[in-house]
Amino acid sequence: MIGSLNVPALMDSTDVFIFDCDGVIWKGDTLIPQATAALDTLRQRGKRLFFITNNSTRSREGFRSKFIELGISVAADEIFSSSFAAALYLQQNPLPAHKNKVYVVGQEGISQELELAGIPSLGGAADSDKSQVWGPGAEVDHDSSVGAVVVGMDTCINYYKIQYAQLC
């Protein structure tokens, strides 16, 4: 027993455990003490494990690499990130053929998950070095076949991306 939590009863009655990643499995690039031991115990007992994160900067494969670097073996299909959720949503709710592209304000995780889902995208990291055109009559051409904008954490956000997303 831990406090009022009956751990043996919880272990016996639960088949699937879902963990947040940052602050539960790791903090930044540091493994949380005892995380590996806890996950190993659950796996030894035949429990299914899933890992969720609202961090969109990496794809599932990118997060899998981080787990491996920290000494934890996981499968990509055990990981659910916000970038994967966005791609899955758009895959299950297709955009119209004439507006089938996605503009990304974010990092590589979103673009990679969209690509894996077969959804054409533009922007993201590719627009990190672009700059806004200022002045009277300034205009930014944009792709009229963009039907959605997906926004995630973007450490290279700039006014160009904001304007392009708004135009889309």
Side-chain angles (χ1 to χ4, degrees):
M1 287 271 275
I2 299 176
S4 63
L5 179 63
N6 185 336
V7 176
L10 176 66
M11 295 287 272
D12 291 341
S13 66
T14 307
D15 296 325
V16 177
F17 288 81
I18 301 172
F19 295 91
D20 186 20
C21 294
D22 195 40
V24 176
I25 305 299
W26 60 67
K27 187 173 182 181
D29 290 325
T30 304
L31 185 64
I32 299 288
Q34 302 303 314
T36 304
L39 298 175
D40 288 346
T41 298
L42 291 169
R43 286 197 193 277
Q44 289 167 2
R45 290 177 173 236
K47 307 303 179 179
R48 294 198 60 204
L49 307 180
F50 292 98
F51 305 92
I52 59 170
T53 179
N54 64 349
N55 184 333
S56 66
T57 62
R58 297 179 189 223
S59 63
R60 288 169 295 155
E61 194 56 45
F63 281 111
R64 184 176 166 281
S65 294
K66 181 171 183 167
F67 274 100
I68 290 169
E69 288 170 13
L70 293 171
I72 301 172
S73 179
V74 300
D77 65 358
E78 294 177 312
I79 302 167
F80 292 84
S81 66
S82 55
S83 54
F84 174 60
L88 189 60
Y89 176 84
L90 289 168
Q91 192 176 47
Q92 292 176 353
N93 298 277
L95 296 169
H98 70 289
K99 290 277 209 181
N100 69 334
K101 293 181 186 172
V102 174
Y103 183 72
V104 175
V105 177
Q107 292 178 223
E108 65 185 14
I110 299 169
S111 300
Q112 289 170 350
E113 290 293 352
L114 290 169
E115 182 179 344
L116 288 170
I119 300 166
S121 69
L122 60 146
D127 285 355
S128 293
D129 62 349
K130 293 186 178 175
S131 59
Q132 174 58 43
V133 179
W134 298 103
E139 188 175 317
V140 173
D141 289 328
H142 67 285
D143 188 330
S144 62
S145 63
V146 172
V149 175
V150 174
V151 179
M153 182 172 168
D154 192 333
T155 59
C156 298
I157 189 75
N158 57 42
Y159 284 106
Y160 177 88
K161 291 180 183 183
I162 293 169
Q163 182 177 26
Y164 200 101
Q166 178 270 327
L167 290 170
C168 290

